[in-house]
Amino acid sequence: MAGVKDVARLAGVSVATVSRVLNDSAPVTEATRVRVLAAVDELGYRPNAVARSLRTDTTRTIGLVIGDILNPFFTELARAIEDEARASGYSVVIGNADERPERQDHYVRTLLEQRVDGLLLCPTAQITPLVRDVVSGGAPLVFLDRTLPGLDVPTVRADGTAAIGALVSHLAGLGHRRIAFVSGPALLSTGRERTAAFTAALRTAGLPVRPEYLEAGDFQAASGRAAAARLLDLPEPPEVIVAGDNLMTLGALDEIRARGLAVPGDVGIASYDDVPWFTHVDPPVTAIGQPVQELGRRAVRALLERIGGRPVEPVVLDARLVVRRSCGEPGAQGNESEGSGRP
Amino acid sequence: MAGVKDVARLAGVSVATVSRVLNDSAPVTEATRVRVLAAVDELGYRPNAVARSLRTDTTRTIGLVIGDILNPFFTELARAIEDEARASGYSVVIGNADERPERQDHYVRTLLEQRVDGLLLCPTAQITPLVRDVVSGGAPLVFLDRTLPGLDVPTVRADGTAAIGALVSHLAGLGHRRIAFVSGPALLSTGRERTAAFTAALRTAGLPVRPEYLEAGDFQAASGRAAAARLLDLPEPPEVIVAGDNLMTLGALDEIRARGLAVPGDVGIASYDDVPWFTHVDPPVTAIGQPVQELGRRAVRALLERIGGRPVEPVVLDARLVVRRSCGEPGAQGNESEGSGRP
DNA sequence: TTGTACGCGTTATCAG
DNA sequence: CTGATAACGCGTACAA
C-alpha cells in the first residue's frame, strides 16, 4: 500500500510537505498543494492511522464497554454516543461485556492496549482489579448508567427515584396494594438505587414493604422470568410486578403468558426502561423511560473534557413515568397512537 | 506509560528477550522468563498494540459496518459476529451506517485507515465509488446479508425465497387472496429478492399479482407506517400485509393501531425477520426468521479465510417460517409458550 | 515555503 | 539462549 513516501515522490516534494498538506499543519503553496492532492488521489493513498497514532500518541478513538448489546437500552445508548462522538471527530469502539466481569475486563484491556483516548464504561456488578487499576492509573474514564461504590470516577446516569415514586403512587391510586419489584444485581448502583427508591415509595404511599415481594434478577430476560415465577407461586401473589429493566420485563411477560394469566386482570406489570415495542404489547406496558439520547451526548462530552485534562462533574438526569395500560389503568380500549416511526 | 524498554531494564535483560517471552516467539530460560513476567507485573506494563501493529502490519481486528444499530436483526448479528471473532482472537470494530451511503463510506474509510485486517460489510443500497475501490483494491472483504449487483465479493446471507413461498401458501390456505407486500429498497438485494419471491409465490398459489399491493419502503419503521397507510387507504385494502423487515412491521402495526383496526380481524400482518418481542404482541406475529447466529459465525469464518488469502465460496442459508396468530390462524386463545429468556 | 533526519514502541534479523 | 539494531509509516524539530 502506498505511503507518504510514494506520494512525495510522485508529487516531486518531500514527505514533510505531504504531511503538511494532509494535516494543513503549516502553510503550503497552492501549487504544491494541488500537486500533492493529485498524487494522493492517483495513488489511492490512505493515511496509516496506526503509524500516525504511534507518532502522535492519540487515536481519536474512544472505547465504549456496554453491559449487553442485545438490550435495546444499551443499543440506543450506543447509537447516541456514536453520533455525538462522530460529530467531534472521534470513532467509537464498542465492546459487549454481556454483563460478565471477565468479558468486561477483556475489552477494557484490549481497548487500553489499542490506546483509545478515553473509555466509557458501564461497569458490571463486581469491581475487578483491572478496573481499579485503570481508575488509579488515571486514564480518561467515565462511568455510564451505573456507579461503583467507593470509586472516584465521574458518572453520567439517570436517576429513577422520582419516577419510581410516581409509579408507585400511580399504582396505589389505581387501588393496588400488593406490588412486587424485581431488581437488578444488588452490587450495581442501578440495582440498589431502584430497590431503595421502590421501598421508600411504598412507605410514602402507606403501603407495607413485604420482603417476599422484593426479588432480585440480573437484568437478563431469564432472571425476570424466574423471578416472576417465584412471585406468582407465592400464597398471596402480587397484584402488580415492577421489573427493573426491559429484558426482565420481557421474561416476566413470558412467564405470565405461559401460565395463561391475563394482564392486567390477573397480574399487572410495569417496567423500568421504555422500549419501542412496549406500545404494541397487549396491553401496552406502563414504563419508566430514561433520557437515553441526552445520556449519550453528555457522556461523550464528559469524556472529551477528561481527555482534555479538565475536571468533570457527575451528570444525573431524571427518568420519567410513561403511563400506559398494563397495570389496570382505565382508558380507551384502542391503543394510544404513539408512533414508533422515526421521521 | 511503561514500555518494553522499562521492563527490560527492570528484568535485567534486553528488549528482544522481553518481546520473546511476551509472544513466546522463541525459547527462553524459565528463570529469565519469570523475571520478565515479574517486571511486567510490577510496572503494570501494557503492550502498545499500536506499535505492534505498525511493526507486524496486522491489527487482529475486523471491521463490521452494519445497516442500522437500532434494528434488532443487526444487533443480534453483531453479537454473533463478536462472539465468533473473539473466539479466534479478533476484536470487532462496529460502524453504524444508519442505512446512509455517506455514513457507510465514513466508516469504511475510517476502518481502512485503522488498518483492520478485514471488513464485514452490509452494503447500503447504492454502490459508492469507495466501495468499488475497496473491492478492486483487494482488501479482505465479505458482504453480509446483502449482495450488490455486479460486484465480485463473497457474500454470506440468508435466502428467504422458500420461506416466503411457505408464507404465501400458508396465507392462501387460510383463505386470504388480497395479500400486500412492503419491500425494502429495490437497489438492495434483500429488497429485490424478497419482492421477486413474493410475486412468484403469489403465482404459484394461483393468486393475482396486483401492483397496488406492492409497496416499497426503506427498512425503517416510518416507511412501514407510510406504506401501511397507503395500503389501508386503497378502495380495496389487502387482507394481510407482509412487511419486508421487523422495523417496517413495527411501523405498520403503529398505523393499524392508530386507525383502531383489529389484527387479524380487520387486517392481518406478517413480518420478514423475527424478533423476540413478536411473541408478546397481540396477537403474536407470524414471521420469517433468519438463522442469525449461524450467519454471523459463517461471516467471520469466511472473512478469516479471506484474510488468510484463501478463496471463499458464497454462503446462503435458509430462512424459515414461524407461524403465530397475526394472520387469522386458528388456534388457542392463549399464547404459545415460546420463551424469550436465554438460558 | 520546503527538505532532512530523528524517534514513537514493537518485532524480527542476525550475530554471538 | 540472548543481545544489539534495523525497520514499520508517520509527524515534527531544525536547518535551509
Side-chain angles (χ1 to χ4, degrees), chain B residues 12-78:
Chain B
V13 298
S14 75
V15 292
T17 301
V18 174
S19 176
R20 282 193 268 258
V21 357
L22 259 35
N23 311 315
D24 54 62
S25 48
V28 173
T29 314
E30 187 57 20
T32 60
R33 168 184 200 71
V34 297
R35 285 223 312 289
V36 169
L37 259 21
V40 164
D41 210 60
E42 164 133 10
L43 294 173
Y45 167 73
R46 244 181 265 298
N48 185 329
V50 173
R52 188 206 304 270
S53 292
L54 179 60
R55 182 58 232 243
T56 61
D57 199 40
T58 167
T59 53
R60 303 287 297 175
T61 280
I62 66 179
L64 168 64
V65 180
I66 58 179
D68 177 7
I69 201 181
L70 294 183
N71 185 331
F73 168 72
F74 287 119
T75 277
E76 275 187 59
L77 199 52

Side-chain angles (χ1 to χ4, degrees), chain B residues 12-291:
Chain B
V13 298
S14 75
V15 292
T17 301
V18 174
S19 176
R20 282 193 268 258
V21 357
L22 259 35
N23 311 315
D24 54 62
S25 48
V28 173
T29 314
E30 187 57 20
T32 60
R33 168 184 200 71
V34 297
R35 285 223 312 289
V36 169
L37 259 21
V40 164
D41 210 60
E42 164 133 10
L43 294 173
Y45 167 73
R46 244 181 265 298
N48 185 329
V50 173
R52 188 206 304 270
S53 292
L54 179 60
R55 182 58 232 243
T56 61
D57 199 40
T58 167
T59 53
R60 303 287 297 175
T61 280
I62 66 179
L64 168 64
V65 180
I66 58 179
D68 177 7
I69 201 181
L70 294 183
N71 185 331
F73 168 72
F74 287 119
T75 277
E76 275 187 59
L77 199 52
R79 164 65 190 270
I81 287 169
E82 254 225 317
D83 285 346
E84 183 72 16
R86 185 164 20 76
S88 299
Y90 279 79
S91 292
V92 179
V93 183
I94 303 178
N96 172 33
D98 204 24
E99 302 292 6
R100 305 228 283 266
E102 74 279 9
R103 208 167 274 190
Q104 164 192 276
D105 277 10
H106 167 82
Y107 282 110
V108 170
R109 201 183 332 266
T110 301
L111 292 168
L112 252 28
E113 291 185 359
Q114 312 212 86
R115 296 304 192 263
V116 293
D117 293 342
L119 205 50
L120 245 27
L121 179 61
C122 306
T124 52
Q126 295 134 49
I127 304 178
T128 64
L130 176 61
V131 169
R132 204 180 288 280
D133 276 11
V134 175
V135 172
S136 57
L141 176 65
V142 169
F143 282 163
L144 188 47
D145 179 46
R146 310 160 176 175
T147 329
L148 285 181
L151 252 35
D152 184 31
V153 175
T155 302
V156 175
R157 63 191 190 85
D159 179 14
T161 307
I164 288 176
L167 171 61
V168 169
S169 98
H170 165 71
L171 295 177
L174 255 21
H176 298 300
R177 291 186 53 82
R178 302 198 307 279
I179 307 172
F181 186 71
V182 183
S183 74
L187 284 168
L188 243 39
S189 61
T190 42
R192 283 197 319 282
E193 178 188 289
R194 292 172 198 176
T195 307
F198 176 73
T199 55
L202 242 32
R203 290 204 182 83
T204 303
L207 297 177
V209 178
R210 300 170 55 162
E212 70 269 32
Y213 287 170
L214 257 30
E215 279 285 348
D218 62 3
F219 282 156
Q220 299 287 325
S223 75
R225 179 161 190 168
R230 287 190 297 271
L231 289 168
L232 295 172
D233 281 339
L234 249 27
E236 197 176 28
E239 294 158 307
V240 177
I241 296 175
V242 180
D245 87 331
N246 73 79
L247 292 181
M248 296 197 297
T249 302
L250 188 59
L253 276 172
D254 275 331
E255 183 62 25
I256 292 169
R257 295 251 144 104
R259 293 180 179 223
L261 299 176
V263 177
D266 295 317
V267 59
I269 189 149
S271 174
Y272 198 103
D273 277 353
D274 194 15
V275 294
W277 58 267
F278 276 173
T279 304
H280 299 286
V281 176
D282 175 46
V285 178
T286 292
I288 291 175
Q290 301 189 50

Side-chain angles (χ1 to χ4, degrees), chain A:
Chain A
M1 178 154 296
V4 268
K5 216 172 286 186
D6 307 284
V7 176
R9 189 170 332 133
L10 183 56
V13 298
S14 74
V15 291
T17 301
V18 174
S19 175
R20 284 192 268 257
V21 358
L22 258 36
N23 310 315
D24 55 59
S25 49
V28 173
T29 313
E30 186 56 22
T32 60
R33 170 187 199 69
V34 297
R35 286 224 312 288
V36 170
L37 259 22
V40 164
D41 210 59
E42 164 135 11
L43 294 173
Y45 166 72
R46 247 180 262 297
N48 185 328
V50 173
R52 171 180 297 166
S53 292
L54 180 59
R55 183 59 232 250
T56 60
D57 199 41
T58 166
T59 54
R60 303 284 304 174
T61 280
I62 67 179
L64 168 64
V65 180
I66 57 179
D68 177 6
I69 200 179
L70 293 183
N71 184 332
F73 169 72
F74 286 119
T75 274
E76 275 188 58
L77 200 52
R79 165 66 191 269
I81 287 168
E82 254 225 317
D83 285 346
E84 183 72 16
R86 184 163 20 77
S88 300
Y90 279 79
S91 292
V92 179
V93 183
I94 303 179
N96 172 32
D98 206 25
E99 302 291 6
R100 307 228 283 265
E102 74 279 8
R103 209 167 274 192
Q104 164 193 275
D105 277 10
H106 167 82
Y107 282 110
V108 170
R109 201 181 334 266
T110 302
L111 292 168
L112 253 29
E113 291 185 357
Q114 312 211 80
R115 296 303 193 264
V116 292
D117 293 342
L119 205 50
L120 245 26
L121 179 60
C122 306
T124 52
Q126 295 134 49
I127 304 179
T128 64
L130 175 62
V131 169
R132 205 180 287 280
D133 276 10
V134 174
V135 172
S136 57
L141 177 64
V142 169
F143 282 163
L144 188 48
D145 179 47
R146 310 160 174 175
T147 327
L148 284 181
L151 251 35
D152 182 32
V153 175
T155 303
V156 175
R157 63 191 190 86
D159 179 14
T161 308
I164 288 176
L167 172 61
V168 170
S169 98
H170 166 71
L171 295 176
L174 256 21
H176 297 301
R177 290 186 52 81
R178 303 197 309 278
I179 307 173
F181 187 72
V182 183
S183 74
L187 284 168
L188 242 39
S189 62
T190 43
R192 283 196 319 284
E193 178 188 289
R194 291 171 198 177
T195 307
F198 177 73
T199 56
L202 242 33
R203 290 203 182 85
T204 303
L207 297 177
V209 178
R210 299 171 56 161
E212 70 270 32
Y213 287 170
L214 258 30
E215 278 286 347
D218 63 2
F219 282 154
Q220 300 285 328
S223 75
R225 178 160 191 169
R230 287 191 297 272
L231 289 168
L232 295 173
D233 280 339
L234 249 26
E236 196 176 29
E239 293 159 307
V240 178
I241 296 176
V242 180
D245 87 333
N246 73 81
L247 293 181
M248 296 195 299
T249 301
L250 189 59
L253 276 171
D254 275 330
E255 182 63 24
I256 292 169
R257 295 250 144 104
R259 292 179 180 224
L261 300 175
V263 177
D266 294 319
V267 59
I269 187 148
S271 172
Y272 198 104
D273 278 353
D274 193 15
V275 294
W277 58 266
F278 276 174
T279 304
H280 298 286
V281 176
D282 177 46
V285 178
T286 292
I288 290 174
Q290 302 189 50
V292 185
Q293 305 292 322
E294 187 65 11
L295 239 28
R297 261 195 297 273
R298 302 292 287 269
V300 171
R301 285 189 212 152
L303 185 59
L304 294 185
E305 290 301 300
R306 299 267 19 219
I307 290 174
R310 292 174 289 277
V312 168
E313 291 301 300
V315 174
V316 182
L317 306 175
D318 274 319
R320 74 179 205 298
L321 176 63
V322 180
V323 174
R324 296 203 183 90
R325 300 203 342 272
S326 62
C327 300
E329 292 87 349
Q333 270 300 60
N335 263 262
E336 76 258 72
S337 62
E338 297 179 42
S340 71
R342 283 176 283 143

